[in-house]
Amino acid sequence: MKRNKIGLIGAGNIGGELANLAMTKQLGDVVLFDIPVKEDFAKGKALDLEQAQTQSGSDSNVIGSSNWEDLAGADVLIITAGVPRKPGQSRDDLVGINVPIIRNVAENAKKYCPNAFSIIISNPLDAMVYEYQKVTGFDPAKVAGMAGVLDTARFTLFLARAANCSVKDIRAMVLGGHGDDMVPVLSNCTVSGVPITQFIDQETLDGIVARTRKGGGEIVKLMGTSAYYAPAASAISMAEAYLNDEKRLLPAAALLKGEYGFDGFFMGVPTIIGGGGVEKIVEIELNDDEKAMLAKSAESVKAVVDVVNKTPA
Ligand code: APR
């Protein structure tokens, strides 16, 4: 038996925490990759992480690298390459810088890691996943964007605190694009099957929906850069679902081919993630308000995809 190989493209804030979690959970050996000027930084971070694992007892290996050959044959690629938001910026403001970066990463992934399950985190998320799949030509089932799990984590936390119950018992989902018009779905939200409205009044719920939508921006404003612990934890849940064939129902940005009435772009929808990657898109019942919100969110995603398509090579 050989260990899984986890390639982390981008050794920054999220990349470092991804490595920490992947090793602690013994998901496999890790390659922490960054551009040549950051190679020493990646190597130093790898050494620090490997030394930290002596305390958890994990035997996972990690190397820092700027050589794509070290990623050859990776089972999972998690991509954070790019720049994060600064206060006042929207995710869409990052297109100009992050599109050339995702194209470069995609060309190399295609060459060196043709069998990997790719999880994209770079923003603007839905458009970056679209571009990555287009350039790699990978089977869409093997490419997913991480946003829904993170947005749902934020939604879940706020709901649990307001309901005064455990985060473990909240059943909730956030769908749509990873932007301010994402769709926190209240119609099927429960505390272990009991309608959430039995625990939280409508005004508070409305406030939670609004806070969830701006959940990333709230942290950017406080820290001066994007969140990294929750994004990393969320992507690791997706990687685990794939590597362990868990067949979990997780919201993720997947290529839509008619589901929910949309076609030809990636957006956050409920998916089953297992050993085949995105094995299925699950269509759930939404109320009219939620359908309208999803349509609005899809328009926003498509507008950014149009800009990406027009970005010269
Ligand atoms: N190949 C590999 N790594 C790259 C490339 C590239 N072509 N271009 C940039 N990087 C690296 C940067 O050198 C940096 O180390 O990506 C790393 C990004 O790390 P941070 O700046 O710390 O950003 P982080 O907070 O990890 O967020 C990364 O995820 O959530 C999104 O909006 C966020 O797009 C941003 C991304």
Side-chain angles (χ1 to χ4, degrees), residues 9-15 33-35 38 80-85 94 98 101 104-105 121-123 226:
I9 313 303
N13 285 338
I14 303 179
F33 177 92
D34 214 297
I35 49 179
K38 291 280 204 75
T80 61
V83 294
R85 284 195 283 172
L94 306 176
N98 286 353
I101 291 175
N104 167 271
V105 171
I121 305 185
S122 310
N123 274 313
S226 318

Side-chain angles (χ1 to χ4, degrees), residues 50-281:
E50 204 163 30
Q51 290 164 3
Q53 296 307 318
T54 62
Q55 302 308 301
S56 69
S58 164
D59 284 312
S60 292
N61 298 307
V62 58
I63 58 162
S65 172
S66 64
N67 181 355
W68 267 95
E69 284 175 10
D70 288 329
L71 291 152
D75 298 286
V76 170
L77 283 181
I78 309 182
I79 296 158
T80 61
V83 294
R85 284 195 283 172
K86 294 194 182 65
Q89 280 188 313
S90 79
R91 294 181 180 93
D92 299 349
D93 292 334
L94 306 176
V95 168
I97 300 178
N98 286 353
V99 167
I101 291 175
I102 203 77
R103 285 178 180 160
N104 167 271
V105 171
E107 292 290 357
N108 284 297
K110 181 180 176 177
K111 186 167 171 198
Y112 294 100
C113 314
N115 299 316
F117 178 52
S118 301
I119 302 169
I120 320 302
I121 305 185
S122 310
N123 274 313
L125 191 271
D126 306 86
M128 291 296 113
V129 193
Y130 167 89
E131 190 65 7
Y132 179 86
Q133 193 275 327
K134 192 175 84 181
V135 175
T136 55
F138 285 169
D139 175 353
K142 300 295 283 292
V143 178
M146 191 298 295
V149 179
L150 169 64
D151 297 328
T152 299
R154 290 174 174 151
F155 192 34
T156 296
L157 175 73
F158 303 148
L159 289 167
R161 292 294 183 260
N164 196 24
C165 70
S166 167
V167 290
K168 287 199 287 264
D169 294 331
I170 298 288
R171 299 282 173 270
M173 243 189 300
V174 179
L175 306 180
H178 189 45
D180 291 350
D181 47 18
M182 64 181 75
V183 186
V185 179
L186 280 176
S187 62
N188 61 13
C189 178
T190 71
V191 180
S192 289
V194 181
I196 195 75
T197 44
Q198 218 166 299
F199 295 81
I200 308 176
D201 64 70
Q202 193 58 45
E203 197 187 334
T204 308
L205 285 173
D206 292 344
I208 288 172
V209 166
R211 188 175 178 198
T212 300
R213 287 179 154 159
K214 304 245 181 218
E218 182 178 358
I219 291 175
V220 173
K221 218 164 157 187
L222 290 165
M223 294 206 302
T225 191
S226 318
Y228 42 97
Y229 294 114
S234 302
I236 290 293
S237 292
M238 292 170 69
E240 277 184 297
Y242 171 74
L243 290 168
N244 301 332
D245 191 23
E246 289 171 358
K247 304 200 188 298
R248 290 197 62 193
L249 198 161
L250 297 171
L255 181 63
L256 296 165
K257 297 176 190 158
E259 294 88 353
Y260 293 91
F262 305 115
D263 193 63
F265 59 98
F266 282 75
M267 188 173 74
V269 285
T271 64
I272 298 290
I273 298 184
V278 177
E279 296 183 354
K280 192 177 175 186
I281 292 175

